[in-house]
Amino acid sequence: MLACWHAGRVEETFPVRQWRVPASLPAAKLAGAVLLMSIGLLFADGDPVRLALAALVAAALAGWAVRDFVAPVRLAVDAAGLTVVHGFARRRHLPWATVEAISVDRRPRLGLTTETLEIDAGATLHLLGRYDLGDSPGDVARVLHTARTAAGA
């Protein structure tokens, strides 16, 4: 819990909430990289191009999994604002004053509806999906709106 202090007294307490990549996701990516490399070795038939292509795609998938291990928390909220992952594994704090809009973009794709949480911070736009948050972007947006209102922003 984070306390908000005003004039020497505690005004309100804000829970610090975090949303992270589900633990099974990086493990599945690593397993996919191993499987892809195994298939590449099995079907390369001495062709270095096939083997190199399988190794390249497996390395990219493994790098994506490493990002999930290095920076599993993609979004955090507290009384001061939001902290989002930026770049490969850096974090950026966005005070509530810089957050212009929080919305959910819903789009039909292949017969399914996908949701993306959009955090507009003026010069930057942060997009987070279900697999980044481990939760529904609509539910996360409701929590963020509540926290923003409670913070008085």
Side-chain angles (χ1 to χ4, degrees), residues 3-151:
C4 184
W5 296 87
H6 296 283
R9 69 185 203 296
V10 176
E11 181 83 10
E12 298 180 39
T13 57
F14 297 95
V16 176
R17 289 277 315 260
Q18 295 180 342
W19 290 272
R20 60 180 51 234
V21 173
S24 61
L25 194 59
K29 289 175 186 176
L30 285 177
V34 169
L35 179 66
L36 188 60
M37 195 61 207
S38 300
I39 290 172
L41 286 170
L42 184 65
F43 292 110
D45 291 331
D47 184 6
V49 174
R50 288 183 189 173
L51 188 58
L53 185 60
L56 181 66
V57 174
L61 194 56
W64 193 18
V66 166
R67 179 182 188 230
D68 292 345
F69 284 122
V70 173
V73 176
R74 296 291 202 255
L75 175 66
V77 62
D78 59 22
L82 303 172
T83 303
V84 295
V85 72
H86 179 71
F88 186 75
R90 291 179 292 157
R91 289 175 177 75
R92 174 180 283 172
H93 181 74
L94 304 171
W96 286 120
T98 64
V99 177
E100 293 179 7
I102 298 169
S103 61
V104 177
D105 182 36
R106 291 178 181 85
R107 294 181 187 247
R109 179 181 291 158
L110 300 174
L112 301 172
T113 300
T114 59
E115 291 184 332
T116 305
L117 177 67
E118 296 180 355
I119 300 170
D120 184 0
T124 59
L125 180 65
H126 303 276
L127 304 172
L128 302 163
R130 174 179 289 281
Y131 294 112
D132 290 316
L133 301 168
D135 201 356
S136 166
D139 294 342
V140 174
R142 281 188 284 282
V143 171
L144 296 181
H145 285 296
T146 302
R148 188 176 190 180
T149 303

